[in-house]
């Protein structure tokens, strides 16, 4: 059963006479207890997607349409008071640079206790401290971290504190926005392994935003490929990585290094850059960069079509057939 269902979600940024469609009629589901990696280059709409779901986009200059249901509740039209209750308790977010989220003038324990007691004012200081120490232990931090300031922690420890904060109220949906990108590879691997172990232990559903295919390959059951605000391909990670249907996914995979002594192929990149989303190309959004583009691609944007159980791609030529 889907814990999160996104239906026809579109986001347009307005700035004077410029109107940039950053998300274009997105449809996605994440089943309870599963993990979904969202990949795509910078500007593909990954962060806009989570900001729209969490309703963190600035009001006034942004237009949002469509729906996003979390456990049956529609988030885009939800009243502010109800939304505040759902944040932290039903859905929580871990940002990339946790040091920006931690107050430099408060000790970790004070910061975490204050947040805990704002949500649960009936809890005593002693019980709050017990819960915080429990959370620190959960993310493999020693209890002495409670009495330390953020500047006394390493980047990895700060990221663990952010993860502990996000787990404070046992959210059903955990969203990670490039949460391990700024860390060295050893710490990144450790933290990713810990997150996967925690979600099994706590029954969490995870949505992970990243531009790193290897992170998705090692930690996500499903993957969705975003490009210029459009969903181009989705399915089980192992299927998409082994046999990508969309030329953009194929290009993304080829641009990753293979550590194999028998493979001596130079890295390939995808030529060109993202289109100007205030005046997108008339046909397929990827057509200006696609090496397989044909006349049909310049005329119409392909619809997302199913290729087997849960496997979708939006390309006129996907699966070796012509799809109109
Ligand atoms: Fe390339 Fe055409 Fe497929 Fe678009 S529809 S990805 S341009 S082949």
């Amino acid at each position: 059963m889907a814990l999160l269902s996104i239906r026809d979600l579109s986001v347009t940024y307005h700035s004077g006479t410029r109107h940039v469609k950053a998300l274009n009629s997105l449809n996605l589901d994440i089943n309870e207890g599963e993990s979904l990696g969202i990949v795509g280059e910078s500007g593909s709409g990954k962060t806009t997607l989570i900001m729209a779901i969490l309703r963190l986009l600035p009001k006034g200059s942004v237009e949002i349409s469509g729906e996003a249901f979390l456990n049956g509740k529609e988030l885009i039209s939800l009243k502010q008071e109800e939304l505040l209750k759902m944040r932290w308790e039903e859905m929580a977010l871990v940002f990339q640079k946790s040091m920006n989220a931690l107050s430099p003038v408060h000790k970790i324990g004070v910061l975490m206790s204050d947040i805990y007691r704002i949500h649960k004012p009936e809890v005593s200081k002693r019980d709050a401290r017990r819960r915080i120490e429990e959370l620190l232990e959960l993310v493999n931090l020693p209890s002495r971290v409670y009495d330390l300031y953020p500047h006394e922690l390493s980047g990895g420890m700060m990221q663990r504190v952010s993860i502990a904060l996000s787990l404070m109220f046992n959210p059903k949906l955990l969203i990670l926005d490039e949460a391990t990108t700024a860390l060295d590879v050893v710490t990144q691997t450790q933290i990713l392994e810990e997150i996967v172990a925690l979600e099994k232990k706590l029954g969490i559903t995870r949505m992970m935003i990243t531009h790193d295919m290897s992170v998705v390959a090692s930690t996500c059951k499903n993957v969705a490929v975003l490009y210029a605000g459009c969903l181009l391909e989705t399915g089980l990670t192992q299927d998409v990585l082994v046999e990508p249907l969309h030329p953009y996914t194929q290009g993304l995979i080829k641009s990753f290094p293979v550590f194999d002594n028998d493979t001596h192929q130079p890295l390939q990149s995808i030529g060109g850059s993202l289109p100007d989303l205030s005046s997108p190309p008339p046909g397929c959004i990827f057509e200006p960069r696609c090496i397989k583009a044909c006349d049909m691609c310049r005329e119409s944007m392909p619809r997302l079509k199913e290729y087997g159980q849960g496997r979708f791609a939006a390309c006129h030529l996907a699966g070796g057939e012509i799809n109109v």
Side-chain angles (χ1 to χ4, degrees), residues 216-271:
V216 172
S218 59
T219 67
C220 296
K221 182 176 178 195
N222 299 290
V223 63
V225 182
L226 269 191
Y227 176 79
C230 300
L231 181 61
L232 297 189
E233 183 161 4
T234 185
L236 283 173
T237 305
Q238 64 186 53
D239 293 348
V240 173
L241 295 192
V242 170
E243 204 177 337
L245 294 172
H246 198 282
Y248 179 62
T249 319
Q250 291 161 5
L252 277 183
I253 292 169
K254 281 185 191 151
S255 64
F256 249 81
V258 179
F259 298 105
D260 174 351
N261 285 338
D262 300 330
T263 309
H264 299 287
Q265 282 183 350
L267 273 184
Q268 294 179 32
S269 64
I270 303 171

Side-chain angles (χ1 to χ4, degrees), residues 25-37:
S25 297
L26 202 79
N27 287 289
L28 264 181
D29 285 319
I30 309 182
N31 289 335
E32 202 163 348
E34 292 191 351
S35 49
L36 173 73

Side-chain angles (χ1 to χ4, degrees), residues 38-236:
I38 302 200
V39 294
E41 62 198 274
S42 297
S44 59
K46 305 185 298 294
T47 298
T48 294
L49 168 63
I50 53 168
M51 294 305 230
I53 296 170
L54 288 162
R55 298 255 306 274
L56 293 172
L57 290 169
K59 288 192 185 108
S61 57
V62 182
E63 187 186 326
I64 305 176
S65 63
E67 296 169 316
F69 295 92
L70 179 66
N71 226 1
K73 275 192 193 152
E74 206 289 293
L75 301 172
I76 305 299
S77 58
L78 202 66
K79 284 191 182 135
Q80 197 64 23
E81 312 87 75
E82 285 186 67
L83 187 69
L84 288 175
K85 274 189 223 153
M86 289 191 79
R87 286 195 199 133
W88 292 86
E89 295 185 22
E90 297 207 35
M91 53 185 175
L93 172 65
V94 182
F95 289 104
Q96 180 177 352
K97 289 189 178 157
S98 48
M99 58 194 73
N100 297 344
L102 303 178
S103 163
V105 294
H106 289 97
K107 289 183 177 175
I108 299 298
V110 173
L111 179 84
M112 292 180 77
S113 298
D114 282 354
I115 295 170
Y116 191 62
R117 294 187 72 231
I118 284 171
H119 286 259
K120 292 191 180 291
E122 71 283 4
V123 172
S124 68
K125 280 190 178 174
R126 181 186 293 187
D127 286 349
R129 178 169 186 133
R130 204 170 296 142
R131 173 66 179 147
I132 303 311
E133 286 176 348
E134 205 177 275
L135 285 163
L136 293 176
E137 193 185 333
L138 201 62
V139 295
N140 292 328
L141 285 171
S143 56
R144 68 182 172 83
V145 168
Y146 191 97
D147 294 309
L148 297 179
Y149 287 97
H151 74 266
E152 296 177 281
L153 307 180
S154 67
M157 290 169 93
M158 278 194 274
Q159 207 56 23
R160 284 189 169 93
V161 170
S162 286
I163 294 166
L165 275 167
S166 72
L167 299 176
M168 192 173 263
F169 300 104
N170 303 319
K172 293 185 180 72
L173 177 68
L174 180 64
I175 303 173
L176 300 138
D177 185 6
E178 304 277 11
T180 55
T181 304
L183 303 172
D184 65 85
V185 279
V186 175
T187 312
Q188 182 184 47
T189 307
Q190 281 172 355
I191 291 183
L192 287 173
E193 284 172 0
E194 285 166 18
I195 289 172
V196 172
L198 278 176
E199 70 193 29
K200 280 192 188 137
K201 187 173 166 184
L202 305 175
I204 289 170
T205 304
R206 173 168 46 98
M207 186 184 201
M208 187 147 184
I209 307 289
T210 180
H211 62 265
D212 189 338
M213 276 288 198
S214 63
V215 165
V216 172
S218 59
T219 67
C220 296
K221 182 176 178 195
N222 299 290
V223 63
V225 182
L226 269 191
Y227 176 79
C230 300
L231 181 61
L232 297 189
E233 183 161 4
T234 185
L236 283 173

